[in-house]
Amino acid sequence: RNTKTMERRSIILRSLVAGRQYAVSVQAGNDGGWGRMSAVAEGVPAGPRAAAPGRLRIAQVSGQRVRVTWQASKDATRYEVQRRRVGSGWVRAAWTTRTSATTDRLRAGRRWTFRVQAWHQLVPGGRSGTLSLTMRPD
């Protein structure tokens, strides 16, 4: 709960997080005291929609892990690396603010597909294309 005292009839709220819900109300006051609180207005700042990351690359590294790299996306504040096996749904492999991530250990002999989704704060953005590889034993 934040309170702001001001002498103007309007204000620009800064430092809000895109995708998070906020509730705002107003209460007038003067030397005679405070008036009634206004009705609550709720809203969710949208922010920009981050473009899809480009130039996705994957490579198997030691310890049955995969290193995923990509080109930064305009307006992205973080990235979600996703993976899946054939016949299954997408699973989060990592969150990062960088343009690369290394997965946990993956099972050898299985084919894995990867993609990266850009996010601007809490607002999902575009997804990269996909790349696949079959894990080799170390």
Side-chain angles (χ1 to χ4, degrees):
R1 177 179 174 131
N2 290 328
T3 302
K4 174 90 173 154
T5 302
M6 55 185 265
E7 294 183 15
R8 297 180 304 260
R9 294 174 53 108
S10 66
I11 186 170
I12 295 173
L13 300 175
R14 301 196 188 281
S15 301
L16 301 180
V17 175
R20 180 173 289 158
Q21 183 161 343
Y22 292 90
V24 178
S25 60
V26 177
Q27 184 179 27
N30 60 24
D31 291 338
W34 292 97
R36 295 174 62 168
M37 190 69 75
S38 73
V40 173
E42 295 187 9
V44 178
R49 184 175 188 275
R55 297 185 188 165
L56 182 67
R57 294 180 184 198
I58 58 174
Q60 183 173 340
V61 295
S62 65
Q64 297 299 124
R65 293 171 169 77
V66 174
R67 180 99 169 140
V68 183
T69 59
W70 57 92
Q71 183 179 23
S73 173
K74 184 177 182 329
D75 297 319
T77 57
R78 62 187 177 142
Y79 300 93
E80 180 183 14
V81 178
Q82 301 168 346
R83 66 170 168 77
R84 74 173 177 183
R85 286 190 351 234
V86 173
S88 65
W90 289 101
V91 175
R92 180 178 306 127
W95 279 111
T96 184
T97 57
R98 299 175 182 211
T99 55
S100 66
T102 302
T103 68
D104 290 336
R105 206 172 159 85
L106 299 173
R107 182 174 280 176
R110 297 240 171 121
R111 186 161 183 81
W112 298 90
T113 301
F114 297 87
R115 70 182 183 190
V116 177
Q117 183 164 21
W119 288 71
H120 176 77
Q121 297 177 346
L122 302 178
V123 178
R127 290 188 188 113
S128 69
T130 62
L131 288 176
S132 299
L133 65 73
T134 300
M135 294 297 289
R136 302 175 315 275
D138 273 345

